[in-house]
Amino acid sequence: MNILLLGKNGQLGSEFQKILPKLGTTTFLDYEELDLRDLQALEQVMNDLKPNLIVNASAYTAVDRAETEQETAMKVNALAPGVMAEVARKIRAVLIHYSTDYVFDGKKDAPYTENDATHPLNIYGRSKLEGEENIRQVGGAYLILRTSWVYSMQGDSFVNKVLGWARKNKNLKIVNDQISNPTWACELAKATYLILTRYKTNLIEEIGERHGVYHLAGGGHASRYEWARQILANDPNRTEQLVQTLEPVSSGEFPTPATRPLFSALDCSKIAKTFDIRLPDWRVSLQKAMSE
Ligand SMILES: NC(=O)c1ccc[n+]([C@@H]2O[C@H](COP(=O)([O-])OP(=O)(O)OC[C@H]3O[C@@H](n4cnc5c(N)ncnc54)[C@H](OP(=O)(O)O)[C@@H]3O)[C@@H](O)[C@H]2O)c1
């Protein structure tokens, strides 16, 4: 199989770099090789490589910055996925794309299913939803996997932020009214890989038959406050922590340029039914991620 991975340096992309080579010949790209704002270059690269499988782990994920960089967010998150879908359809390739819980407004009081109405509250969420719609309009053999609160132990993830804050502050305030599913990038990549390996002998037909939007996120849900509490408890270097109190506060105490949905937990039963795939409980994954 000839595989193209976009966004190789991101949280999810880095995990895919480790496992996709088991499936075939791989080309891994990110900013430095291909700026996705250049849609013609994207089309050219895809036509030159003619992959059988495109895994799009790239995205403009700076939720607050997107409010002032709308054009960039729209190009990367909405237009580029549309181009990927068009070329994929032409060259008969499978497209795996990721979307977000931020397509919802967070006003529901139970986890969101794929049938729930979307209503993004910020530019990032709007750009990701347009990306979904652009792919859907083209059709073909695609999976749009909506996930939420993705973290890894690299870079600027929420986990690393909390660990950093805990080393500089005695009192930490964390919002307790934003609730979703913490999702370990490693498990998300592995679950995707499982689907791909299961159907690898006839990928285009098998994914084509099951194409659509699926929710795929860590099991259970939590507030950012509960998540932070577990991060501190699992810290392998707890003696380095200065923090003495962790205080739950409301989002109103930390105004941000982008409004975030309050309750955006995802119900992942459709993917469990269709592909027999479930991610472990978020606490189990967090413990594993922080002990590796
Ligand atoms: N992170 C979350 O909490 C979260 C939640 C829900 C859904 N998701 C979705 O899950 C997927 C993976 O997220 P992630 O957290 O792994 O993202 P990430 O770590 O931000 O990685 C995204 C990658 O895309 C690259 N990229 C951004 N703009 C680009 C451009 N113009 N041209 C080429 N590459 C570009 C980034 O490069 P730079 O780093 O250099 O910008 C980065 O390497 C995305 O579809 C995201 O929307 C994420």
Side-chain angles (χ1 to χ4, degrees):
M1 192 170 350
N2 184 6
I3 306 163
L4 171 61
L5 169 69
L6 298 164
K8 67 168 179 184
N9 296 332
Q11 301 190 93
L12 183 59
S14 302
E15 297 300 332
F16 273 126
Q17 281 203 57
K18 298 178 202 162
I19 51 178
L20 283 180
K22 292 188 224 164
L23 263 182
T25 313
T26 47
T27 306
F28 298 146
L29 304 178
D30 211 297
Y31 244 131
E32 59 266 32
E33 298 89 3
L34 173 66
D35 183 341
L36 291 172
R37 288 172 298 182
D38 186 344
L39 301 176
Q40 274 184 338
L42 169 63
E43 196 175 340
Q44 185 71 49
V45 164
M46 289 181 66
N47 277 320
D48 289 349
L49 288 169
K50 296 220 170 7
N52 315 102
L53 167 66
I54 299 124
V55 178
N56 179 27
S58 70
Y60 180 97
T61 53
V63 177
D64 287 317
R65 234 182 324 129
E67 295 297 307
T68 46
E69 293 186 358
Q70 182 165 353
E71 202 186 323
T72 303
M74 285 295 171
K75 271 213 171 134
V76 178
N77 293 344
L79 300 182
V83 170
M84 289 173 208
E86 266 168 36
V87 184
R89 201 180 160 145
K90 243 190 285 169
I91 63 175
R92 284 190 50 78
V94 167
L95 173 64
I96 307 292
H97 175 77
Y98 295 86
S99 190
T100 173
D101 54 323
Y102 284 9
V103 298
F104 297 114
D105 63 16
K107 299 199 170 113
K108 203 183 160 189
D109 53 11
Y112 282 91
T113 72
E114 293 80 354
N115 293 327
D116 284 317
T118 52
H119 181 218
L121 299 178
N122 55 46
I123 301 290
Y124 167 75
R126 266 175 37 207
S127 68
K128 294 292 292 184
L129 182 59
E130 266 190 42
E132 289 187 10
E133 281 161 2
N134 289 341
I135 294 172
R136 261 198 300 256
Q137 259 174 30
V138 175
Y142 69 86
L143 296 181
I144 295 171
L145 304 175
R146 282 190 194 139
T147 189
S148 80
W149 289 8
V150 179
Y151 67 91
S152 72
M153 298 311 293
Q154 73 170 47
D156 204 21
S157 69
F158 183 71
V159 175
N160 283 339
K161 277 187 188 154
V162 170
L163 292 177
W165 295 331
R167 279 153 177 73
K168 291 197 192 102
N169 301 280
K170 283 193 177 160
N171 180 40
L172 268 191
K173 293 181 178 184
I174 306 284
V175 298
N176 71 342
D177 55 0
Q178 285 175 30
I179 293 166
S180 196
N181 325 61
T183 305
W184 186 20
C186 171
E187 304 274 17
L188 185 58
K190 272 191 194 156
T192 311
Y193 173 79
L194 256 175
I195 296 174
L196 296 171
T197 39
R198 190 170 306 151
Y199 297 119
K200 69 178 175 200
T201 48
N202 201 8
L203 197 63
I204 186 121
E205 273 79 20
E206 299 281 6
I207 298 297
E209 271 171 30
R210 296 165 179 83
H211 74 272
V213 178
Y214 294 87
H215 292 174
L216 180 59
H221 51 265
S223 68
R224 287 220 181 248
Y225 169 79
E226 288 166 54
W227 188 14
R229 210 157 57 83
Q230 291 295 324
I231 291 167
L232 296 182
N234 284 299
D235 184 352
N237 300 309
R238 279 180 84 169
T239 51
E240 292 174 8
Q241 290 181 13
L242 276 187
V243 69
Q244 289 166 358
T245 52
L246 187 64
E247 195 184 326
V249 295
S250 74
S251 298
E253 275 213 35
F254 288 114
T256 50
T259 306
R260 285 158 171 78
L262 290 183
F263 185 89
S264 58
L266 299 175
D267 177 324
C268 301
S269 39
K270 179 181 169 193
I271 200 158
K273 235 188 342 212
T274 313
F275 292 105
D276 194 21
I277 292 281
R278 325 172 165 70
L279 298 195
D281 183 273
W282 70 271
R283 293 169 206 83
V284 174
S285 294
L286 183 67
Q287 199 177 23
K288 204 163 162 211
M290 294 188 73
S291 62
E292 277 186 356

